Amino acid sequence: MTDIFNAFYAQSGGVTAVINASACGVIETARTCTDKIGTVFAGKNGILGALKEELIDTSLESAQTIAALRYTPGGAFGSCRYRLPDSEESNTLYQRIIAVFKAHNIRYFFYNGGGDSMDTAHKIGLMSERLDYPVTCIGIPKTIDNDLAATDSCPGFGSAAKYIATSVKEAALDVISMQETSTKIFVMEVMGRNAGWLAASAALAMNNKSDAPHILLFPEVDFSRELFLARVEETVENCGYCVIVAAEGIRYADGTFLSASRSTDAFGNVQLGGTAPILARMIKDALGYKYHWCVADYLQRSARHLASTIDVEQAYAVGKSAVEIAIAGQNRVMTSVIREPEETFKWKTGSVPLEMVANVVMKLPDNFIATDGFHITDTCRAYLAPLIQGEDIPPFKDGVPDYALFKGTMAEKKLADFKF
């Protein structure tokens, strides 16, 4: 008789419109593998759920509720930003995690997140063997930033890109209407600390070369105030208005962020935000144009009503694949998306070693950025366009989306409380 072990699934980092579709893929697939996997426990607030022994028993949720995860945004089980130390620094946290896994007969660990999360999954995989309780650790990719290595695209990005392109297209029509006597400048700030994928996606709003957005600002390109203002002025003279999309992580040649604050997050990253108003005021002071600006912020990563069908399908598929490769014997790998080398867009899932992905940032390639640094190339457009295709509209009730509601029943604790 085959041993049956339980699984631990958790969500990590900034959530997306489709991260729960990956959770759906994991749980629904596990429920078909009852000869291998027993209960799927979901960690409350990511890896903190393991440390605190706060395990949500998903077996108590109905099939209908789990299916509703596919179209529900946010993180159904709670997420976190928490970095585990290197094993050489402290074994205490790892010992606690393995103790919780052992107490609940957990031998499968599925971690749904970005580069830092893949680092966590890799560390736990290595430490579980050192602590003589081997756990199969599988990473599931997720990030709207699209900056994970070794995967063609990251679930979460396509829907955020679709939202940004749509929002820019609609806002531009507003600006066009008012530009004769009022607003001539519109600046939209999107996420992207080190990579400009989201800023690049705004270009998908264009049908013609003269359409908005006229200027894209990427972290990969050093910001020059002089060149920027000259391009803004030229655009207004030619088009009558100018729409700009800027990544939050744009910086000067010396590496200084335009919008850096003194605060840092749990991973030691400088908190960003405020790039759009800085740029808008810069234009006003130098050129005198009336402006409006916005920060897409959480809207770009939670807009499930505008999700890309391709994105939803890929998110579900990498969750499903995670379970399949785990029971097939793969370990310390991340599920990935592979684009087929064909004219018609086709893709499949694969897997890559976690060590290839952990803490690696995939930036926009040079051949994706126009030679002047202010826009994308046709090569970039050809890569981006398929990822926003299709409309996967959630069910609506009383005029608003009708998303999943969970019991969230916790498994009974078996260990003493742990302080960390």
Side-chain angles (χ1 to χ4, degrees):
M1 179 177 177
T2 304
D3 290 328
I4 299 174
F5 298 108
N6 297 326
F8 178 81
Y9 165 83
Q11 300 170 326
S12 177
V15 295
T16 78
V18 300
I19 187 173
N20 288 333
S22 293
C24 180
V26 168
I27 297 169
E28 287 189 340
T29 306
R31 287 184 174 187
T32 68
C33 303
T34 53
D35 61 329
K36 296 280 187 177
I37 298 178
T39 300
V40 176
F41 295 110
K44 182 180 179 182
N45 300 323
I47 197 63
L48 297 181
L51 290 166
K52 295 181 177 181
E53 199 184 359
E54 294 180 343
L55 311 180
I56 298 169
D57 188 344
T58 69
S59 70
L60 302 179
E61 307 289 350
S62 69
Q64 292 77 12
T65 299
I66 297 303
L69 279 171
R70 189 178 177 114
Y71 57 77
T72 300
F77 309 111
S79 186
C80 70
R81 296 190 187 278
Y82 186 81
R83 183 189 289 276
L84 288 172
D86 292 335
S87 57
E88 291 76 13
E89 297 174 11
S90 171
N91 283 342
T92 306
L93 296 178
Y94 296 98
Q95 290 170 349
R96 168 64 178 187
I97 290 170
I98 296 306
V100 170
F101 284 0
K102 187 180 295 187
H104 293 272
N105 193 34
I106 293 168
R107 289 277 191 170
Y108 298 102
F109 173 38
F110 302 107
Y111 211 29
N112 202 172
D116 291 316
S117 306
M118 298 307 110
D119 178 62
T120 295
H122 185 52
K123 287 175 177 176
I124 291 176
L126 292 174
M127 285 301 297
S128 71
E129 293 189 355
R130 296 180 192 177
L131 296 173
D132 200 27
Y133 189 81
V135 176
T136 297
C137 294
I138 308 293
I140 303 172
K142 171 272 341 169
T143 175
I144 67 167
D145 293 324
N146 202 41
D147 60 357
L148 283 176
T151 181
D152 175 74
S153 56
C154 302
F157 170 70
S159 295
K162 190 180 186 79
Y163 175 85
I164 289 168
T166 302
S167 298
V168 169
K169 192 178 190 73
E170 294 175 341
L173 293 174
D174 190 303
V175 179
I176 291 170
S177 302
M178 304 300 296
Q179 53 92 11
E180 181 67 25
T181 59
S182 184
T183 305
K184 289 188 178 296
I185 304 296
F186 179 70
V187 185
M188 183 181 194
E189 177 183 330
V190 300
M191 291 180 176
R193 168 182 296 276
N194 297 307
W197 294 102
L198 286 171
S201 70
L204 297 176
M206 303 170 67
N207 293 322
N208 303 297
K209 288 187 176 180
S210 60
D211 290 345
H214 306 103
I215 299 174
L216 304 177
L217 300 176
F218 312 114
E220 291 87 349
V221 179
D222 294 339
F223 179 77
S224 165
R225 181 179 182 277
E226 293 72 24
L227 292 176
F228 170 67
L229 291 173
R231 177 56 67 89
V232 171
E233 186 173 30
E234 177 188 1
T235 302
V236 174
E237 289 176 355
N238 292 334
C239 302
Y241 71 107
C242 182
V243 173
I244 302 151
V245 177
E248 63 184 351
I250 60 172
R251 64 200 82 188
Y252 293 102
D254 66 0
T256 303
F257 290 105
L258 262 70
S259 64
S261 71
R262 294 183 179 180
S263 302
T264 58
D265 64 16
F267 298 121
N269 299 315
V270 174
Q271 294 280 70
L272 301 179
T275 296
I278 290 172
L279 291 170
R281 191 68 220 182
M282 186 184 296
I283 294 169
K284 176 68 174 177
D285 291 344
L287 303 173
Y289 300 135
K290 185 174 180 180
Y291 63 80
H292 278 273
W293 58 266
C294 78
V295 180
D297 202 46
Y298 280 16
L299 299 178
Q300 66 202 299
R301 75 186 201 193
S302 60
R304 181 58 182 80
H305 66 286
L306 202 57
S308 152
T309 298
I310 292 295
D311 195 29
V312 176
E313 291 175 349
Q314 290 185 345
Y316 184 91
V318 294
K320 179 176 184 289
S321 176
V323 175
E324 292 172 343
I325 65 176
I327 62 177
Q330 291 196 46
N331 191 10
R332 296 202 296 277
V333 298
M334 180 189 80
T335 53
S336 63
V337 175
I338 301 170
R339 187 179 302 216
E340 301 278 17
E342 301 177 18
E343 267 190 42
T344 304
F345 177 70
K346 293 182 179 179
W347 59 275
K348 62 183 180 181
T349 58
S351 63
V352 294
L354 284 170
E355 60 191 16
M356 289 179 57
V357 189
N359 301 312
V360 178
V361 176
M362 185 59 64
K363 298 186 177 185
L364 279 173
D366 290 343
N367 67 333
F368 277 26
I369 302 173
T371 54
D372 63 10
F374 287 125
H375 232 283
I376 66 168
T377 62
D378 290 341
T379 301
C380 183
R381 183 180 298 277
Y383 164 80
L384 292 171
L387 302 179
I388 70 166
Q389 298 307 306
E391 289 68 54
D392 193 289
I393 301 172
F396 275 66
K397 181 180 180 181
D398 297 329
V400 294
D402 186 22
Y403 294 134
L405 294 175
F406 293 85
K407 296 176 184 176
T409 305
M410 295 286 186
E412 183 180 350
K413 290 189 175 183
K414 300 183 179 182
L415 303 175
D417 289 343
F418 178 75
K419 292 183 179 181
F420 58 97

PDB file of all heavy atoms in Angstrom, residues 20 23 30 85 94 99 149 165 171 176 197 206 228 238 250 312 330 344 350 352 357 408:
ATOM      1  N   ASN A  20      -5.339  32.747  -6.763  1.00  0.00           N
ATOM      2  CA  ASN A  20      -6.261  31.735  -6.253  1.00  0.00           C
ATOM      3  C   ASN A  20      -6.608  30.680  -7.298  1.00  0.00           C
ATOM      4  O   ASN A  20      -7.037  29.576  -6.952  1.00  0.00           O
ATOM      5  CB  ASN A  20      -7.541  32.394  -5.738  1.00  0.00           C
ATOM      6  CG  ASN A  20      -7.313  33.148  -4.438  1.00  0.00           C
ATOM      7  OD1 ASN A  20      -6.428  32.820  -3.666  1.00  0.00           O
ATOM      8  ND2 ASN A  20      -8.111  34.183  -4.220  1.00  0.00           N
ATOM      9  N   ALA A  23      -4.197  28.109  -6.575  1.00  0.00           N
ATOM     10  CA  ALA A  23      -4.652  27.359  -5.397  1.00  0.00           C
ATOM     11  C   ALA A  23      -5.726  26.355  -5.801  1.00  0.00           C
ATOM     12  O   ALA A  23      -5.721  25.201  -5.351  1.00  0.00           O
ATOM     13  CB  ALA A  23      -5.196  28.316  -4.338  1.00  0.00           C
ATOM     14  N   ALA A  30      -5.119  17.656  -6.183  1.00  0.00           N
ATOM     15  CA  ALA A  30      -4.814  16.809  -5.027  1.00  0.00           C
ATOM     16  C   ALA A  30      -6.013  15.935  -4.664  1.00  0.00           C
ATOM     17  O   ALA A  30      -5.848  14.784  -4.229  1.00  0.00           O
ATOM     18  CB  ALA A  30      -4.400  17.669  -3.841  1.00  0.00           C
ATOM     19  N   PRO A  85      15.843  33.038   7.360  1.00  0.00           N
ATOM     20  CA  PRO A  85      17.293  33.266   7.348  1.00  0.00           C
ATOM     21  C   PRO A  85      18.020  32.128   6.649  1.00  0.00           C
ATOM     22  O   PRO A  85      17.463  31.043   6.440  1.00  0.00           O
ATOM     23  CB  PRO A  85      17.642  33.311   8.837  1.00  0.00           C
ATOM     24  CG  PRO A  85      16.611  32.431   9.481  1.00  0.00           C
ATOM     25  CD  PRO A  85      15.342  32.684   8.696  1.00  0.00           C
ATOM     26  N   TYR A  94      13.584  26.614  11.021  1.00  0.00           N
ATOM     27  CA  TYR A  94      13.418  25.419  10.186  1.00  0.00           C
ATOM     28  C   TYR A  94      12.979  24.227  11.024  1.00  0.00           C
ATOM     29  O   TYR A  94      12.141  23.421  10.599  1.00  0.00           O
ATOM     30  CB  TYR A  94      14.717  25.110   9.444  1.00  0.00           C
ATOM     31  CG  TYR A  94      15.104  26.190   8.463  1.00  0.00           C
ATOM     32  CD1 TYR A  94      16.043  27.158   8.802  1.00  0.00           C
ATOM     33  CD2 TYR A  94      14.503  26.268   7.208  1.00  0.00           C
ATOM     34  CE1 TYR A  94      16.392  28.162   7.914  1.00  0.00           C
ATOM     35  CE2 TYR A  94      14.842  27.263   6.316  1.00  0.00           C
ATOM     36  CZ  TYR A  94      15.795  28.216   6.668  1.00  0.00           C
ATOM     37  OH  TYR A  94      16.126  29.218   5.793  1.00  0.00           O
ATOM     38  N   ALA A  99       8.849  20.475  12.488  1.00  0.00           N
ATOM     39  CA  ALA A  99       8.072  19.894  13.587  1.00  0.00           C
ATOM     40  C   ALA A  99       6.576  19.979  13.308  1.00  0.00           C
ATOM     41  O   ALA A  99       5.819  19.029  13.568  1.00  0.00           O
ATOM     42  CB  ALA A  99       8.407  20.613  14.893  1.00  0.00           C
ATOM     43  N   ALA A 149      12.842  34.257 -13.326  1.00  0.00           N
ATOM     44  CA  ALA A 149      13.687  33.627 -14.338  1.00  0.00           C
ATOM     45  C   ALA A 149      13.128  32.255 -14.719  1.00  0.00           C
ATOM     46  O   ALA A 149      12.347  31.650 -13.980  1.00  0.00           O
ATOM     47  CB  ALA A 149      15.109  33.475 -13.794  1.00  0.00           C
ATOM     48  N   ALA A 165      -3.117  48.271 -19.787  1.00  0.00           N
ATOM     49  CA  ALA A 165      -3.337  48.680 -21.175  1.00  0.00           C
ATOM     50  C   ALA A 165      -4.744  49.245 -21.359  1.00  0.00           C
ATOM     51  O   ALA A 165      -4.940  50.263 -22.041  1.00  0.00           O
ATOM     52  CB  ALA A 165      -3.110  47.496 -22.110  1.00  0.00           C
ATOM     53  N   ALA A 171      -8.156  56.238 -20.283  1.00  0.00           N
ATOM     54  CA  ALA A 171      -7.763  57.541 -19.746  1.00  0.00           C
ATOM     55  C   ALA A 171      -7.300  58.475 -20.858  1.00  0.00           C
ATOM     56  O   ALA A 171      -7.550  59.694 -20.814  1.00  0.00           O
ATOM     57  CB  ALA A 171      -6.658  57.368 -18.711  1.00  0.00           C
ATOM     58  N   ILE A 176      -7.649  63.349 -24.373  1.00  0.00           N
ATOM     59  CA  ILE A 176      -7.866  63.884 -25.715  1.00  0.00           C
ATOM     60  C   ILE A 176      -9.063  64.833 -25.723  1.00  0.00           C
ATOM     61  O   ILE A 176      -9.041  65.893 -26.362  1.00  0.00           O
ATOM     62  CB  ILE A 176      -8.084  62.737 -26.723  1.00  0.00           C
ATOM     63  CG1 ILE A 176      -6.797  61.945 -26.920  1.00  0.00           C
ATOM     64  CG2 ILE A 176      -8.578  63.277 -28.064  1.00  0.00           C
ATOM     65  CD1 ILE A 176      -6.981  60.666 -27.703  1.00  0.00           C
ATOM     66  N   TRP A 197       8.367  45.372 -17.030  1.00  0.00           N
ATOM     67  CA  TRP A 197       7.381  44.602 -17.790  1.00  0.00           C
ATOM     68  C   TRP A 197       6.000  45.252 -17.768  1.00  0.00           C
ATOM     69  O   TRP A 197       5.315  45.308 -18.798  1.00  0.00           O
ATOM     70  CB  TRP A 197       7.296  43.176 -17.244  1.00  0.00           C
ATOM     71  CG  TRP A 197       8.540  42.379 -17.445  1.00  0.00           C
ATOM     72  CD1 TRP A 197       9.512  42.096 -16.514  1.00  0.00           C
ATOM     73  CD2 TRP A 197       8.982  41.757 -18.662  1.00  0.00           C
ATOM     74  NE1 TRP A 197      10.510  41.346 -17.076  1.00  0.00           N
ATOM     75  CE2 TRP A 197      10.218  41.118 -18.381  1.00  0.00           C
ATOM     76  CE3 TRP A 197       8.449  41.672 -19.949  1.00  0.00           C
ATOM     77  CZ2 TRP A 197      10.919  40.411 -19.348  1.00  0.00           C
ATOM     78  CZ3 TRP A 197       9.147  40.972 -20.912  1.00  0.00           C
ATOM     79  CH2 TRP A 197      10.375  40.346 -20.611  1.00  0.00           C
ATOM     80  N   MET A 206      -2.020  50.768 -27.757  1.00  0.00           N
ATOM     81  CA  MET A 206      -1.850  51.501 -29.007  1.00  0.00           C
ATOM     82  C   MET A 206      -2.341  50.722 -30.218  1.00  0.00           C
ATOM     83  O   MET A 206      -2.085  49.529 -30.343  1.00  0.00           O
ATOM     84  CB  MET A 206      -0.366  51.839 -29.200  1.00  0.00           C
ATOM     85  CG  MET A 206       0.247  52.630 -28.070  1.00  0.00           C
ATOM     86  SD  MET A 206       2.047  52.738 -28.227  1.00  0.00           S
ATOM     87  CE  MET A 206       2.177  53.768 -29.712  1.00  0.00           C
ATOM     88  N   PHE A 228      13.883  63.589 -20.908  1.00  0.00           N
ATOM     89  CA  PHE A 228      12.467  63.347 -20.635  1.00  0.00           C
ATOM     90  C   PHE A 228      11.632  64.587 -20.945  1.00  0.00           C
ATOM     91  O   PHE A 228      10.621  64.515 -21.670  1.00  0.00           O
ATOM     92  CB  PHE A 228      12.291  62.930 -19.177  1.00  0.00           C
ATOM     93  CG  PHE A 228      10.865  62.893 -18.711  1.00  0.00           C
ATOM     94  CD1 PHE A 228       9.972  61.961 -19.222  1.00  0.00           C
ATOM     95  CD2 PHE A 228      10.408  63.792 -17.745  1.00  0.00           C
ATOM     96  CE1 PHE A 228       8.649  61.918 -18.783  1.00  0.00           C
ATOM     97  CE2 PHE A 228       9.093  63.760 -17.305  1.00  0.00           C
ATOM     98  CZ  PHE A 228       8.212  62.823 -17.828  1.00  0.00           C
ATOM     99  N   ASN A 238       3.372  67.971 -31.090  1.00  0.00           N
ATOM    100  CA  ASN A 238       2.941  67.158 -32.226  1.00  0.00           C
ATOM    101  C   ASN A 238       1.528  66.592 -32.066  1.00  0.00           C
ATOM    102  O   ASN A 238       0.789  66.465 -33.052  1.00  0.00           O
ATOM    103  CB  ASN A 238       3.914  66.008 -32.447  1.00  0.00           C
ATOM    104  CG  ASN A 238       5.275  66.477 -32.914  1.00  0.00           C
ATOM    105  OD1 ASN A 238       5.400  67.545 -33.516  1.00  0.00           O
ATOM    106  ND2 ASN A 238       6.302  65.693 -32.637  1.00  0.00           N
ATOM    107  N   ILE A 250      11.883  53.603 -11.498  1.00  0.00           N
ATOM    108  CA  ILE A 250      12.811  54.341 -12.358  1.00  0.00           C
ATOM    109  C   ILE A 250      13.806  55.101 -11.489  1.00  0.00           C
ATOM    110  O   ILE A 250      13.490  55.548 -10.393  1.00  0.00           O
ATOM    111  CB  ILE A 250      12.075  55.286 -13.332  1.00  0.00           C
ATOM    112  CG1 ILE A 250      11.237  56.322 -12.586  1.00  0.00           C
ATOM    113  CG2 ILE A 250      11.230  54.496 -14.294  1.00  0.00           C
ATOM    114  CD1 ILE A 250      10.643  57.380 -13.497  1.00  0.00           C
ATOM    115  N   VAL A 312      -5.409  33.274 -16.563  1.00  0.00           N
ATOM    116  CA  VAL A 312      -6.165  32.383 -15.673  1.00  0.00           C
ATOM    117  C   VAL A 312      -5.812  30.927 -15.967  1.00  0.00           C
ATOM    118  O   VAL A 312      -5.570  30.122 -15.047  1.00  0.00           O
ATOM    119  CB  VAL A 312      -7.682  32.603 -15.825  1.00  0.00           C
ATOM    120  CG1 VAL A 312      -8.458  31.596 -14.973  1.00  0.00           C
ATOM    121  CG2 VAL A 312      -8.059  34.028 -15.424  1.00  0.00           C
ATOM    122  N   GLN A 330       9.437  14.569  -8.607  1.00  0.00           N
ATOM    123  CA  GLN A 330      10.288  15.754  -8.721  1.00  0.00           C
ATOM    124  C   GLN A 330      10.316  16.501  -7.385  1.00  0.00           C
ATOM    125  O   GLN A 330       9.347  16.474  -6.626  1.00  0.00           O
ATOM    126  CB  GLN A 330       9.780  16.682  -9.841  1.00  0.00           C
ATOM    127  CG  GLN A 330       9.967  16.106 -11.235  1.00  0.00           C
ATOM    128  CD  GLN A 330       9.817  17.172 -12.313  1.00  0.00           C
ATOM    129  OE1 GLN A 330      10.370  18.267 -12.220  1.00  0.00           O
ATOM    130  NE2 GLN A 330       9.072  16.843 -13.370  1.00  0.00           N
ATOM    131  N   THR A 344       1.687  30.436 -34.241  1.00  0.00           N
ATOM    132  CA  THR A 344       0.494  30.562 -33.411  1.00  0.00           C
ATOM    133  C   THR A 344       0.892  30.362 -31.950  1.00  0.00           C
ATOM    134  O   THR A 344       1.633  29.438 -31.627  1.00  0.00           O
ATOM    135  CB  THR A 344      -0.554  29.505 -33.805  1.00  0.00           C
ATOM    136  OG1 THR A 344      -0.847  29.639 -35.187  1.00  0.00           O
ATOM    137  CG2 THR A 344      -1.831  29.678 -32.998  1.00  0.00           C
ATOM    138  N   GLY A 350       6.199  23.252 -17.567  1.00  0.00           N
ATOM    139  CA  GLY A 350       7.441  22.507 -17.383  1.00  0.00           C
ATOM    140  C   GLY A 350       7.899  22.694 -15.950  1.00  0.00           C
ATOM    141  O   GLY A 350       7.109  23.077 -15.074  1.00  0.00           O
ATOM    142  N   VAL A 352      11.632  23.810 -13.493  1.00  0.00           N
ATOM    143  CA  VAL A 352      13.030  24.246 -13.444  1.00  0.00           C
ATOM    144  C   VAL A 352      13.512  24.168 -11.994  1.00  0.00           C
ATOM    145  O   VAL A 352      12.720  24.313 -11.069  1.00  0.00           O
ATOM    146  CB  VAL A 352      13.193  25.694 -13.963  1.00  0.00           C
ATOM    147  CG1 VAL A 352      12.861  25.765 -15.448  1.00  0.00           C
ATOM    148  CG2 VAL A 352      12.316  26.671 -13.182  1.00  0.00           C
ATOM    149  N   VAL A 357      15.913  30.022  -9.910  1.00  0.00           N
ATOM    150  CA  VAL A 357      14.890  31.062  -9.853  1.00  0.00           C
ATOM    151  C   VAL A 357      15.021  31.935  -8.610  1.00  0.00           C
ATOM    152  O   VAL A 357      14.745  33.139  -8.651  1.00  0.00           O
ATOM    153  CB  VAL A 357      13.476  30.432  -9.887  1.00  0.00           C
ATOM    154  CG1 VAL A 357      12.412  31.508 -10.039  1.00  0.00           C
ATOM    155  CG2 VAL A 357      13.360  29.406 -10.999  1.00  0.00           C
ATOM    156  N   GLY A 408     -12.716  28.623   6.187  1.00  0.00           N
ATOM    157  CA  GLY A 408     -11.397  28.865   6.777  1.00  0.00           C
ATOM    158  C   GLY A 408     -11.202  28.164   8.110  1.00  0.00           C
ATOM    159  O   GLY A 408     -10.548  28.696   9.024  1.00  0.00           O
TER     160      GLY A 408
END
